[in-house]
Amino acid sequence: MFTTSFLPIVLILLSPLTAAIKFTLPPSKIPAEKCIWNAAHLHALVIVTANVGPGPNQRIDIEIIDSTPQRNVYLSKKDINGETRLAVTAHAEEEVGVCFRNYLSADTRAEMASNMTRTIDLDIDIGADAVDYNAIANQESLSGLETEMRKLEGIVKEIVDEMDYLKKREERFADTNISTNQRVQKFAWFTLASLVCLGVWQIFHLRAFFRRKYLID
C-alpha cells in the first residue's frame, strides 16, 4: 500500500525539470512584461535558451529574476536575436522567472504595431537537466556507463534536496499550526474568563439593583 502511494511521488521527482514553450510577443512603445516562471532550489543551475525570430523595428530585452520580495535580477540583456543561451544559479528556494519585453522602435508609428510580432522559442533547464554531461564526459574521458551513472547521481541528489526541502517545509507548517493552536487556546481561555467575570459582575449589579428597589433583603 505504501509503495503504491509513494510511486507517483518518485515518478514526479524523477521527471526532468525542463520547460519548453513557444509564444509570440507584440511590440509596444511601453511594452508589458511577459514572464515564464519555474521553481528552482537553492544553488540550482538554470540554463535558459531563447530563440528569437526575426522582426523589423522591434527590440527584445530579456531579464532573469526570482520571486523573492527583493525581486533579485540575475541577468539582464538587451536586443537579443537568434539563439541566446544564458546560465544563472538560483540564490533562494523560490521561483525563477524569465521575462521578455518587445520594444517598438522610436521611428515606427504605434498604429503599425498591431500587425507586428516576434516569435520566441524558449527552453529552460533546471538542476541536473541543465548540466552538459557530454562535455563532462569528453573532459574527464568517461565511458557511456560512467556518464549515465553521473547523470543518475545528479538526479538522486536532486531528489534528496527535494525531500529535504519538503521536510523543512512540513516542519515550518507544523510549527505554524502549533503556534496557531496555542493562540486559539489562549484566546478561548481569555474569552471564557471574560464571560465568567462579566457574569459575576452582572450578578452583583442585579443584586444591588434589587436591594435599592427593596425587592430583596
Side-chain angles (χ1 to χ4, degrees):
M1 181 68 179
F2 174 77
T3 304
T4 304
S5 60
F6 189 70
L7 182 59
I9 300 176
V10 175
L11 292 176
I12 292 174
L13 293 175
L14 286 174
S15 60
L17 297 177
T18 303
I21 185 173
K22 187 174 184 178
F23 57 93
T24 58
L25 202 60
S28 176
K29 298 290 185 180
I30 307 176
E33 190 177 57
K34 182 176 180 62
C35 296
I36 309 299
W37 295 92
N38 289 275
H41 292 297
L42 180 65
H43 303 315
L45 177 63
V46 180
I47 300 293
V48 177
T49 304
N51 196 337
V52 180
N57 303 321
Q58 300 171 70
R59 189 193 81 205
I60 296 289
D61 293 352
I62 185 173
E63 190 176 57
I64 302 178
I65 60 176
D66 64 22
S67 60
T68 59
Q70 296 78 18
R71 194 179 171 88
N72 298 316
V73 178
Y74 296 107
L75 189 147
S76 180
K77 191 172 183 180
K78 294 183 178 182
D79 196 14
I80 62 173
N81 293 281
E83 183 173 319
T84 302
R85 188 177 175 88
L86 306 170
V88 298
T89 302
H91 299 327
E93 291 280 355
E94 297 288 344
E95 290 187 330
V96 174
V98 182
C99 301
F100 297 90
R101 292 180 188 268
N102 188 4
Y103 287 89
L104 187 65
S105 62
D107 56 351
T108 304
R109 291 182 300 175
E111 298 81 24
M112 299 178 61
S114 58
N115 298 323
M116 300 170 64
T117 58
R118 294 191 75 174
T119 302
I120 300 175
D121 194 349
L122 179 65
D123 288 321
I124 303 174
D125 298 312
I126 302 174
D129 294 300
V131 179
D132 189 353
Y133 288 101
N134 292 328
I136 295 176
N138 293 331
Q139 183 179 2
E140 300 182 10
S141 300
L142 300 178
S143 64
L145 180 59
E146 289 174 330
T147 304
E148 292 300 324
M149 291 297 294
R150 186 69 66 86
K151 290 181 182 179
L152 184 61
E153 180 183 359
I155 293 175
V156 170
K157 183 179 182 302
E158 281 193 346
I159 294 176
V160 172
D161 292 341
E162 180 73 18
M163 289 297 186
D164 289 340
Y165 170 72
L166 293 176
K167 181 180 179 181
K168 292 178 181 178
R169 190 175 180 181
E170 181 182 1
E171 290 175 352
R172 186 166 66 249
F173 286 160
D175 293 340
T176 302
N177 189 25
I178 292 174
S179 176
T180 302
N181 287 337
Q182 290 176 348
R183 292 180 181 180
V184 170
Q185 288 180 359
K186 290 179 180 178
F187 180 75
W189 283 112
F190 172 77
T191 303
L192 180 60
S194 299
L195 291 175
V196 170
C197 293
L198 180 61
V200 172
W201 176 81
Q202 286 181 339
I203 291 174
F204 282 101
H205 177 72
L206 290 175
R207 186 176 180 182
F209 174 77
F210 290 145
R211 280 182 174 178
R212 287 196 302 268
K213 298 296 183 179
Y214 302 103
L215 297 177
I216 59 173
D217 296 332

